Amino acid sequence: MEMGFRWYGADEDVVKLQDIRQIPGAKQVVGALFDVPVGEVWPLAKIKALKSQIEAAGLKFTIVESVNIHDDIKIGLPTRDHYIENYQQTIRNLAQVGVKTICYNFMPIFDWIRTDLHFELADGSKTLAFQERYTAEDPQALIHQIQSGDNGFSLPGWEPERLAKVQQLFKAYADVDAERLAANLKYFLDAILPVCEECHVQMALHPDDPPMPLFGLPRIFKNAADMRAIVAMNPSLANGFAICTGSLGENPANDIPAIIREFVVQGRVPFVHARNIKFTGNGRDFREAAHLSSEGSLDMYAIMKALHDTGFDGVIRPDHGRDIWGETGRPGYGLYDRALGLTYLNGLWEAIAKS
């Protein structure tokens, strides 16, 4: 197991590589090229430059999050083959520099949904929160809420140029139900997994966040049953998952340790996002919490023990953190609380290993 830390690049992140290097136990930078339009080939020269930058700071770069999927692929339009060919070439280019894992998602329109980016807690810290009642309204109201709280950063899946055409996107997805979206995922996997096998790269599909249909849009990675269905689409071991404890944990019916124990032993989990959430007592409403078990609704000890017991040897990173100690930056991705989370996860791992 190696600890990673997500980084948005020198131009898009207030966190510096040297900051990450100083977090005890941080070995990997989970990065990406955020200036390449979705669907275009990631240029090899740019990938090499990113790798050199990370390695010059004394860190590793073997995992990418995310190579996003063009909407034409998710919708199943005739143009999808062009974008799949581009994706195949991106896989080859990433493999050339030693990338072993590619995290991606297959969520329509929105990569993730929160209804408040600056929910204030009793201690004065601020965090991300979700209240389901706000998703019963016109999505344009939520878009305004997100844009007004983004602190000037372009948030993945909520880029201004994408949101400007959100009504057209909803029309394009009008006939895409869960069955059709699943068929389009299978089509995509059948096309790219032979390239992954050739290049020794494993795909890591991220769960839906939150794991339920919203705004009439289907979700197809919500629980263990969905994961089994995705494995059945294509049995290649390159068809893997990123287990996000927070995303899956947003449905209280999901047993995260059991999911880990089922799929890690299959060799299908190269990447884990570890975060805690706190249910707020109103149905599926929740807020992000500090990583400690006592701060949220998830048992982080049981999660880390399941990973240890199953011999997890991939990359794990602390996921969303609160804004603490006066820090203002990309919502959910400040330095301080995520660094505390990484240290806590490392402490759990050491204690489990020595027990």
Side-chain angles (χ1 to χ4, degrees), residues 109-272:
I109 302 183
F110 303 114
D111 283 9
W112 52 272
I113 293 179
R114 297 292 182 275
T115 57
D116 191 341
L117 301 184
H118 304 285
F119 183 86
E120 188 163 347
L121 303 179
D123 62 4
S125 62
K126 295 181 179 180
T127 192
L128 308 176
F130 174 83
Q131 290 180 284
E132 189 174 4
R133 64 188 176 93
Y134 289 115
T135 65
E137 304 172 2
D138 185 327
Q140 201 62 50
L142 180 59
I143 289 169
H144 175 73
Q145 175 79 357
I146 296 296
Q147 289 181 321
S148 64
D150 62 13
N151 288 350
F153 292 95
S154 178
L155 306 179
W158 296 80
E159 297 85 357
E161 62 275 10
R162 178 175 178 75
L163 297 180
K165 58 178 184 177
V166 72
Q167 295 301 330
Q168 297 97 302
L169 283 171
F170 269 95
K171 290 178 182 177
Y173 277 97
D175 295 327
V176 181
D177 58 11
E179 183 178 357
R180 183 172 172 187
L181 186 64
N184 293 340
L185 174 59
K186 175 175 170 50
Y187 186 95
F188 172 72
L189 289 173
D190 288 345
I192 67 159
L193 292 179
V195 177
C196 292
E197 292 173 349
E198 163 198 326
C199 296
H200 306 290
V201 167
Q202 189 171 26
M203 302 299 294
L205 179 61
H206 189 284
D208 300 328
D209 185 11
M212 57 183 173
L214 294 166
F215 298 118
L217 299 169
R219 302 292 212 187
I220 59 172
F221 182 2
K222 308 175 298 301
N223 49 43
D226 288 347
M227 296 171 76
R228 295 179 198 116
I230 291 165
V231 169
M233 290 178 186
N234 190 307
S236 169
L237 280 177
N239 181 17
F241 301 103
I243 288 183
C244 178
T245 66
S247 297
L248 289 168
E250 289 155 14
N251 180 351
N254 282 334
D255 185 334
I256 310 303
I259 289 173
I260 288 169
R261 293 180 188 279
E262 179 174 350
F263 291 96
V264 170
V265 295
Q266 296 179 24
R268 293 194 182 275
V269 184
F271 190 31
V272 171

